[in-house]
Amino acid sequence: MSYPPRLYPDAATWDAAPQKRILLFGMSGLGKTHVSRMLRADGAWFHYSVDYRIGTRYMGELISDDFKRHAMKVPHLRELLLSDSIYIGSNITFENLAPLSTYLGKPGDEAKGGLPIEEYRKRQEQHHVAERAALLDTPHFIERASDIYGYPHFVCDSGGSICEVVDPADPEDPILTALADSMLLVWIKGSDHHAEELVSRFNRAPKPMCYRHPFTEACWTEFLEQNGVCEEAVDPDAFVRFAYRRAMAARQPAYAAMAENWGVTVTAEEVAEAGSPEAFISLVGRALERG
C-alpha cells in the first residue's frame, strides 16, 4: 500500500519552509497543548484546538441545552428562563474545556452523577461526528490564519481521541488524507513511565473520555461481569478508571500506525527539553531525519 508523501519530506525542506504547519497528536497530558501554547506565544503561530472547535462550533448548542434542562428543574431558574430574563451558555476556552467534558459524561449510577448507558452512547456518537467535522475544518483554518491574520505558521492541537475516528491503516482514509495534505502529523510518544504517571493522574481525577463504540461496549460488558453489578448501579468514576488503562493500551498501536504511515514521532522527553519554538522546530527536523 502507498500512503501520501509527507508535506515536508525531509529536514532540509522543513527547515527552509516559510510556512510550517503541524498537527500534534497523542495521549492527553504528554505536551500537545503545552507546545501549542508555547508556539502561539511566539506570535508567528496560529493555534487551532480541535477540542475547542468541537465544544463551540459543533456541540455548543447541545452543551447549553443540557445546562438549560438542569436549570428548568429549579423553579426560580425555570421562571427566569421562560421569561427570557437570564441567559445560560457554556464558557469554553482553550484553557477550560470542562463544559464539553461534563456534557460527554460518564455512564452509571445517576445518583453519583452518571448517565444512563443509552444516553452515554448517544453523546459518544455526537462527539465522534463533531470530531470528524472539526478535524476536516483544519485546512480551512490554515487558509484563514494566513489570508486574514497573516500567520506564517500553524499548529493544530488535536484531541487524544483522534485515533478513534480515523483508520491509519487505510491509505485513503478521508480525514488523514486531508490532514496530511495540509500539515505534518507529529506523534508525541510517551514512555512506560509516562503511562503510569498518566494513569495515576487519571485515577486521582477521572474525567470523561471518548472511545470507539466497540471498545466502549467491550469495556462495559467486562466491567459489569467482573463487578457483578447492573447497569444502573455502576460507579461512574470506577468505570472510567477501568476503561482508561485499557484505552491507553488500545490507542498506542493506532498512534504508532498514524506516525509510521502518515507522519513522524517525537518523544515526550524530547518535547519536555524543547523549551522554545526554535528548539521544537529543530526537534521536528530531527524526527524527519529519523524517517
Side-chain angles (χ1 to χ4, degrees):
M1 294 186 290
S2 177
Y3 294 89
R6 283 22 171 204
L7 183 63
Y8 310 99
D10 51 48
T13 305
W14 164 256
D15 290 339
Q19 294 181 318
K20 294 177 170 59
R21 307 195 295 259
I22 58 173
L23 178 144
L24 305 174
F25 68 94
M27 288 297 293
S28 296
L30 293 178
K32 298 191 306 294
T33 301
H34 166 73
V35 170
S36 298
R37 290 172 180 165
M38 177 180 70
L39 296 176
R40 182 178 67 193
D42 181 61
W45 290 78
F46 186 93
H47 176 194
Y48 178 73
S49 167
V50 170
D51 284 338
Y52 179 80
R53 180 70 169 167
I54 290 170
T56 53
R57 172 64 176 84
Y58 292 106
M59 294 184 71
E61 188 172 292
L62 293 171
I63 294 167
S64 295
D65 284 352
D66 192 53
F67 293 161
K68 294 171 187 176
R69 289 189 188 92
H70 287 281
M72 287 290 285
K73 297 175 184 179
V74 181
H76 181 58
L77 294 179
R78 174 187 172 88
E79 180 181 340
L80 292 171
L81 270 176
L82 291 176
S83 63
D84 291 327
S85 299
I86 60 172
Y87 169 80
I88 294 179
S90 69
N91 188 29
I92 288 180
T93 67
F94 280 18
E95 287 71 32
N96 179 21
L97 297 165
L100 174 60
S101 179
T102 300
Y103 177 79
L104 193 58
K106 310 166 189 174
D109 188 348
E110 294 183 62
K112 296 181 178 179
L115 293 170
I117 187 62
E118 284 304 321
E119 179 65 20
Y120 178 75
R121 289 172 178 139
K122 182 180 78 173
R123 296 187 186 194
Q124 289 271 305
E125 182 55 30
Q126 289 170 342
H127 192 281
H128 288 151
V129 172
E131 185 162 14
R132 293 185 187 100
L135 287 166
L136 288 171
D137 283 345
T138 310
H140 170 63
F141 272 86
I142 292 173
E143 183 178 350
R144 288 186 68 198
S146 176
D147 291 351
I148 298 176
Y149 304 110
Y151 285 99
H153 310 311
F154 186 95
V155 55
C156 175
D157 177 7
S158 74
S161 56
I162 183 175
C163 62
E164 308 288 352
V165 297
V166 300
D167 180 0
D170 178 5
E172 298 181 353
D173 182 272
I175 295 176
L176 288 175
T177 298
L179 296 177
D181 186 57
S182 304
M183 295 169 288
L184 177 67
L185 277 59
V186 180
W187 177 28
I188 301 181
K189 178 182 180 181
S191 64
D192 290 342
H193 171 74
H194 287 116
E196 291 305 316
E197 175 57 32
L198 291 178
V199 169
S200 177
R201 187 187 310 173
F202 189 89
N203 285 340
R204 291 193 297 270
K207 65 177 184 178
M209 301 282 286
C210 193
Y211 305 121
R212 291 179 188 269
H213 179 72
F215 175 85
T216 300
E217 294 304 303
C219 283
W220 186 247
T221 299
E222 186 180 355
F223 185 88
L224 295 179
E225 292 176 351
Q226 284 192 14
N227 292 275
V229 295
C230 63
E231 292 182 348
E232 295 78 12
V234 168
D235 182 310
D237 284 346
F239 173 73
V240 294
R241 289 187 181 106
F242 176 86
Y244 182 73
R245 186 181 286 274
R246 288 162 176 75
M248 290 189 67
R251 285 181 174 182
Q252 287 302 107
Y255 290 145
M258 286 176 62
E260 180 178 355
N261 299 334
W262 300 87
V264 297
T265 302
V266 297
T267 68
E269 291 92 346
E270 290 174 325
V271 168
E273 294 175 357
S276 68
E278 294 75 18
F280 186 78
I281 289 170
S282 296
L283 173 58
V284 172
R286 294 196 299 275
L288 284 163
E289 289 177 353
R290 295 193 295 249

